[in-house]
Amino acid sequence: MTGFMVVLDSQIVILALPSIERGLDVSVEDGQWVLSAYMLAFGGLLLFGGRLADLRGRRQMFIVGTALFLVSSLLCGFAWSAAVLIGARVVQGVSAALMAPTSLAILMGMFPEGPERNKALAFWSGVGGIGATASLLIGGPITDTLGWAWIFFINVPVSVVMLVFAPILFPESRGRSGRRAYDPAGALTSTVGLMLLIGAIVLAPAKGWLSGPALGMLLGSAVLLGLFVLVESRAVAPLVPLQTFRSRLFVGGNLAMSLFAAITVGMSIAVTAYAQQVLGYTPLQFGLGMVAMTVMAVVGSYVGQAGLTKIGFRPVVATAAVAMGVGVFLLSQVTVHGTYFADLFPGLLMFGLGLGAGPVAAVAATLSAVDQEIAGVASGAANAGFQIGGALGAAVTSAIVVSNGGDSAEPARMTNGFGAGLTGDLVIAVGCLSVALVLLRPKQPAPGQDRDPGNGEVATQL
């Protein structure tokens, strides 16, 4: 449920933005910060949130994050100005940065390594993938019938249920080391560095990649992340042990997760705009049209978790990348006088299948390569990869769409821009396939070493 809500809240605002801008009388540019503020806080604090969970207790930090998520969701819904809403979204992002890695680390601790853990990870990731599609499914109907505030109010009952049952269902767990070393230098450099990186990606479509603000943020991010590596190489108790990045599965799984996020967010932006601006769909009609993709994402998550235990990470990630690539290719053929069943339905079916299966295998590959001692921060890294990928996908797709006439008032030019943006997503899907084939290939076990029967893979080094 946590994975579902966290991903849902990062996506559901997309459909409600026009209503928010009208309701609070804000410009389109200021309205975009309702989406970006959450993304910046969430993505920037994930590593530190995961580290807090490892050191202070995963159940404890999960409860703190959930309580903060409840309060911030209420504040978002009752916001009386854009400034209040953006501030509440920052707090909501902070709470999500505590909830997401802790819930995943708790899950890892509850199941032994092997098939059972893979199934649990697949379920967690699959539910998150469903959340990404459900945001498009329910966001429109909620906004049209109840008003934009209710996209935040729906978090409240779910948060209450999680607060009631978390102390009962979740055992307390933390890293085995009894020493609480927070690595403040590593936390500061990674947090600000990631925030600047995501901020630059978010800012670039509006200001330009070569603009002073975007270049400044990119340069600052590069310096801080470089300092982070230096700090971690010398820290007695580093935030993220650098040897973790020598694992091919950890690196490959994170890259695949980022690329899956980029394809998903890019596709969502282009298809949402095409359906509403060219085909004339209301948010409610478009949301109902996304049922097909949501159903296929459920099927894909089931197929993905079954495939993990039988054929391993690489075939599942590669197949999912192909399915999503075929999906965006079909969607890129949209026409100015298109219809739902001719232009959208086939592509949504294929895309949903890949979306359900791909992140399942990517997150399982990432976490299979780390020790339980750093499960929280490793989960944070996986979630940070998703946020960075999503921001990059939004920036790249938006830039392609606009440069090809997607911001025009003429339907034919708009359609051409949306098709070009979806073709760009196809290129990202090819990159994801390459990552799967190169980095997620299994390594034959050394003499005397047993292959993990749960996933058919051995954690390999770069």
Side-chain angles (χ1 to χ4, degrees), residues 10-18 35 136 151 265 268-269 272 276:
S10 67
Q11 299 290 309
I12 197 170
V13 175
I14 294 174
L15 283 176
L17 271 180
L35 179 64
L136 302 177
I151 68 173
V265 175
S268 298
I269 289 173
T272 300
Q276 295 188 60

Side-chain angles (χ1 to χ4, degrees), residues 78-340:
F78 287 119
W80 57 91
S81 70
V84 172
L85 180 56
I86 291 171
R89 286 286 283 173
V90 170
V91 178
Q92 198 175 44
V94 172
S95 65
L98 292 174
M99 293 167 63
T102 52
S103 64
L104 194 49
I106 288 170
L107 182 146
M108 287 184 66
M110 293 176 67
F111 295 91
E113 187 173 358
E116 292 304 312
R117 181 183 290 178
N118 284 337
K119 290 178 182 178
L121 289 174
F123 180 79
W124 189 95
S125 181
V127 168
I130 294 167
T133 62
S135 63
L136 302 177
L137 172 64
I138 68 176
I142 289 176
T143 303
D144 270 5
T145 57
L146 298 176
W148 63 263
W150 283 91
I151 68 173
F152 302 112
F153 288 149
I154 60 172
N155 296 331
V156 174
V158 178
S159 299
V160 170
V161 170
M162 291 193 294
L163 285 173
V164 170
F165 286 101
I168 301 171
L169 299 178
F170 296 159
E172 183 58 283
S173 64
R174 53 171 56 91
R176 291 187 297 270
S177 174
R179 181 181 178 184
R180 291 186 178 180
Y182 291 96
D183 185 18
L188 180 63
T189 53
S190 65
T191 298
V192 181
L194 286 173
M195 283 185 171
L196 287 175
L197 175 60
I198 296 173
I201 295 172
V202 169
L203 191 66
K207 301 295 184 181
W209 288 97
L210 298 180
S211 66
L215 281 177
M217 295 174 80
L218 285 172
L219 179 60
S221 174
V223 171
L224 285 169
L225 292 178
L227 285 174
F228 170 70
V229 173
L230 181 63
V231 167
E232 297 304 276
S233 67
R234 299 181 178 183
V236 176
L239 184 70
V240 183
L242 291 182
Q243 62 265 31
T244 304
F245 293 97
R246 295 184 60 229
S247 167
R248 199 160 61 214
L249 287 181
F250 182 82
V251 174
N254 270 305
L255 281 175
M257 180 65 79
S258 297
L259 294 172
F260 280 135
I263 304 166
T264 302
V265 175
M267 184 280 296
S268 298
I269 289 173
V271 170
T272 300
Y274 168 74
Q276 295 188 60
Q277 297 176 25
V278 177
L279 299 186
Y281 287 9
T282 66
L284 175 59
Q285 290 172 323
F286 178 70
L288 294 175
M290 297 305 290
V291 170
M293 190 169 78
T294 302
V295 171
M296 291 308 294
V298 175
V299 174
S301 66
Y302 177 80
V303 172
Q305 68 89 8
L308 280 180
T309 60
K310 294 180 180 179
I311 58 177
F313 305 123
R314 182 168 70 161
V316 176
V317 173
T319 302
V322 170
M324 294 174 80
V326 171
V328 291
F329 172 75
L330 293 174
L331 291 168
S332 71
Q333 307 304 303
V334 292
T335 60
V336 67
H337 300 297
T339 63
Y340 173 76

Side-chain angles (χ1 to χ4, degrees), residues 325-381:
V326 171
V328 291
F329 172 75
L330 293 174
L331 291 168
S332 71
Q333 307 304 303
V334 292
T335 60
V336 67
H337 300 297
T339 63
Y340 173 76
F341 284 103
D343 291 70
L344 297 180
F345 185 71
L348 292 177
L349 287 181
M350 288 300 299
F351 193 91
L353 189 63
L355 176 62
V360 164
V363 73
T366 298
L367 298 180
S368 71
V370 301
D371 187 79
Q372 180 65 20
E373 176 78 12
I374 59 168
V377 74
S379 303

